[in-house]
């Protein structure tokens, strides 16, 4: 079951789906510092609220 619709932290792939862009756009945003990430164990995740703010969506 895909829980990305309610997850507070997303993978790059799920983040790209949520905002309707290619995952490479998400990677570029992370690399430039526009999209925040958090480290959860071995995985780098994207906080939903930070992602939406980066794309101009009020949360």
């Amino acid at each position: 079951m895909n829980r990305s619709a309610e997850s507070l932290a997303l993978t790059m792939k799920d983040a790209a789906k949520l905002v309707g862009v290619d995952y490479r756009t998400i990677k570029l945003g992370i690399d430039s510092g526009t999209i925040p990430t958090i480290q959860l164990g071995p995985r780098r995740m994207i906080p939903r609220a930070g992602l939406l703010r980066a794309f101009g969506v009020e949360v």
Side-chain angles (χ1 to χ4, degrees):
M1 179 165 97
N2 187 347
R3 297 179 192 237
S4 63
E6 56 196 53
S7 295
L8 295 177
L10 305 163
T11 63
M12 279 198 321
K13 182 179 173 183
D14 287 338
K17 276 189 209 175
L18 179 66
V19 294
V21 298
D22 189 80
Y23 79 94
R24 290 173 289 200
T25 303
I26 299 296
K27 174 108 173 78
L28 287 172
I30 291 169
D31 291 345
S32 71
T34 306
I35 298 174
T37 61
I38 54 173
Q39 190 75 35
L40 294 174
R43 299 185 80 183
R44 182 151 301 275
M45 302 291 285
I46 302 165
R48 177 185 292 276
L51 173 70
L52 294 176
R53 272 194 300 276
F55 279 86
V57 178
E58 291 297 319
V59 288

